Amino acid sequence: MFDLQEAAALLRSCRLCPRSCGVDRLAGERGVCGCGATVRVARAALHFWEEPCLSGEHGSGAVFFSGCSLHCCFCQNYQISTGLAGCDITTERLCDIFSELEAAGAENINLVTAGHYLPLVVFALQQARAKGMRLPVVYNSGGYERVETLRLLEGLVDIYLPDLKFHRAALSSRYAAAPDYFRVAAAAIAEMVRQVGKPQFDARGMLRRGVIVRHLALPGQGEDSRRILRYLAQRYDDAVYLSLMSQYTPLPHAAAYPELQRRLTAEEYSGLVDYAAELGIVNAYIQGEGAADAEFIPPFDNRGV
Ligand code: SF4
């Protein structure tokens, strides 16, 4: 068992994520993620917009953490990732939130962008398990994670839901100031697959264990998306599910990137779907028309916090 002092110690000279800032978050210093030494959450509620095997009939128990170490210029959750909307909470409160979501009928506990608080989240998860929380735990991540940090989750997380956003360094540099994104995220996904293995579903079709890799297709970046699809097909075959997302929505904070000021066309998306099929990818979720809508972004109103 990981105790709270050990968890907090990892925030001193913080190197939890690949930004490796080295700041002392216990002393009030802030790194790239903008986060202090207390967990900050903007929403904890049943969420129906994940893949069907995660949302199910009753909804995924999504906990949206404030802050992010990646800061993609087009972030759809900008209000919390950069704006840091939310409330500071104790690990005891976080543990209670997990139990409350279970009591509300959640299909799983869905930790959305929790990596910059990871030791504290691990502590809260351990407490929740000790108190009898039985739901599968989903770790929902931008993919920019250190393998050493992910190892803290071994045995606690059942389902990994990482993004694989960019292949070329030029793209990840321009949109997220992370030229090493692909190398880092590919290593992180390999660690996730090592921990939880191939996808396993229950009789209701709910995912109980495994990895779903999400790729949000960006307007005009079909070649980068094709590189990612090729990588996943060659490296993983049926060992992961692909979720190919078409819901990119241009938002005002990305105004400095004119090429991102439009939605994906139907032709761009269907071209990627066809290409995935040509590669032999059969374990995949694709999105229907109408997915590109800001309504997919939940209100970050501190509900359930
Ligand atoms: S978690 Fe935050 S402070 Fe720590 S290394 Fe990453 S960006 Fe820097």
Side-chain angles (χ1 to χ4, degrees), residues 32-50:
V32 172
C33 62
C35 301
T38 306
V39 172
R40 192 167 176 84
V41 170
R43 182 178 174 88
L46 298 178
H47 188 61
F48 294 87
W49 299 108
E50 307 291 21

Side-chain angles (χ1 to χ4, degrees), residues 39-47 50 60-66 80 89 94 97-98 101 108-114 121 138 140 300 303-305:
V39 172
R40 192 167 176 84
V41 170
R43 182 178 174 88
L46 298 178
H47 188 61
E50 307 291 21
S60 178
V63 183
F64 290 88
F65 292 85
S66 307
I80 56 171
I89 60 169
L94 183 58
I97 286 172
F98 297 152
L101 287 169
N108 43 55
I109 297 296
N110 182 356
L111 308 170
V112 185
T113 317
V121 172
V138 182
N140 185 334
F300 297 117
R303 183 173 168 194
V305 181

Side-chain angles (χ1 to χ4, degrees), residues 14-17 19-23 25 31-34 69 116:
C14 182
R15 300 189 192 284
L16 287 178
C17 85
R19 299 292 189 192
S20 205
C21 303
V23 295
R25 291 169 58 180
V32 172
C33 62
S69 60
H116 41 288

Side-chain angles (χ1 to χ4, degrees), residues 2-304:
F2 202 55
D3 73 33
L4 200 48
Q5 281 188 333
E6 285 174 295
L10 291 172
L11 303 178
R12 200 182 296 285
S13 189
C14 182
R15 300 189 192 284
L16 287 178
C17 85
R19 299 292 189 192
S20 205
C21 303
V23 295
D24 184 351
R25 291 169 58 180
L26 297 180
E29 295 175 5
R30 306 276 168 130
V32 172
C33 62
C35 301
T38 306
V39 172
R40 192 167 176 84
V41 170
R43 182 178 174 88
L46 298 178
H47 188 61
F48 294 87
W49 299 108
E50 307 291 21
E51 288 73 5
C53 66
L54 298 176
S55 292
E57 196 182 330
H58 303 290
S60 178
V63 183
F64 290 88
F65 292 85
S66 307
C68 179
S69 60
L70 196 52
H71 292 303
C72 299
C73 66
F74 51 81
C75 180
Q76 314 281 287
N77 290 348
Y78 182 84
Q79 194 185 343
I80 56 171
S81 62
T82 299
L84 295 176
C87 290
D88 287 349
I89 60 169
T90 63
T91 51
E92 290 78 16
R93 176 65 197 135
L94 183 58
C95 176
D96 288 346
I97 286 172
F98 297 152
S99 302
E100 288 166 16
L101 287 169
E102 182 172 45
E107 304 277 6
N108 43 55
I109 297 296
N110 182 356
L111 308 170
V112 185
T113 317
H116 41 288
Y117 302 113
L118 200 130
L120 301 170
V121 172
V122 165
F123 180 76
L125 274 178
Q126 287 176 339
Q127 299 296 307
R129 286 283 190 230
K131 289 181 179 175
M133 195 278 289
R134 298 172 59 85
L135 293 178
V137 173
V138 182
Y139 187 76
N140 185 334
S141 153
Y144 197 55
E145 305 270 3
R146 287 186 71 200
V147 168
E148 295 82 348
T149 305
L150 287 174
R151 287 195 179 128
L152 297 174
L153 292 170
E154 187 154 13
L156 286 169
V157 165
D158 305 281
I159 297 163
Y160 280 102
L161 186 59
D163 293 327
L164 191 52
K165 294 170 183 280
F166 315 107
H167 192 283
R168 287 171 300 161
L171 211 62
S172 57
S173 292
R174 175 165 170 75
Y175 293 154
D180 58 350
Y181 176 86
F182 180 79
R183 178 181 59 76
V184 166
I189 290 169
E191 169 63 14
M192 294 170 184
V193 174
R194 183 195 70 75
Q195 286 187 23
V196 299
K198 286 189 172 186
Q200 296 172 27
F201 294 85
D202 68 14
R204 293 192 302 129
M206 298 300 295
L207 187 63
R208 303 299 296 190
R209 205 165 168 82
V211 178
I212 300 176
V213 179
R214 284 176 163 173
H215 176 64
L216 175 68
L218 294 175
Q221 298 301 339
E223 177 49 32
D224 208 69
S225 292
R226 283 176 172 77
R227 288 180 184 218
I228 283 172
L229 295 178
R230 276 200 299 278
Y231 172 77
L232 291 174
Q234 289 165 4
R235 176 75 173 79
Y236 289 109
D237 192 17
D238 64 351
V240 302
Y241 260 71
L242 165 70
S243 180
L244 185 56
M245 305 172 80
S246 63
Q247 70 194 54
Y248 173 76
T249 306
L251 294 172
H253 58 265
Y257 301 84
E259 72 276 22
L260 293 178
Q261 292 307 302
R262 68 168 174 88
R263 293 187 169 160
L264 202 69
T265 65
E267 292 71 28
E268 283 177 306
Y269 187 61
S270 63
L272 292 178
V273 171
D274 290 348
Y275 188 66
E278 281 170 32
L279 290 168
I281 296 175
V282 291
N283 290 343
Y285 293 98
I286 61 170
Q287 289 184 313
E289 280 183 32
D293 197 317
E295 284 179 17
F296 274 82
I297 305 168
F300 297 117
D301 53 4
N302 299 333
R303 183 173 168 194

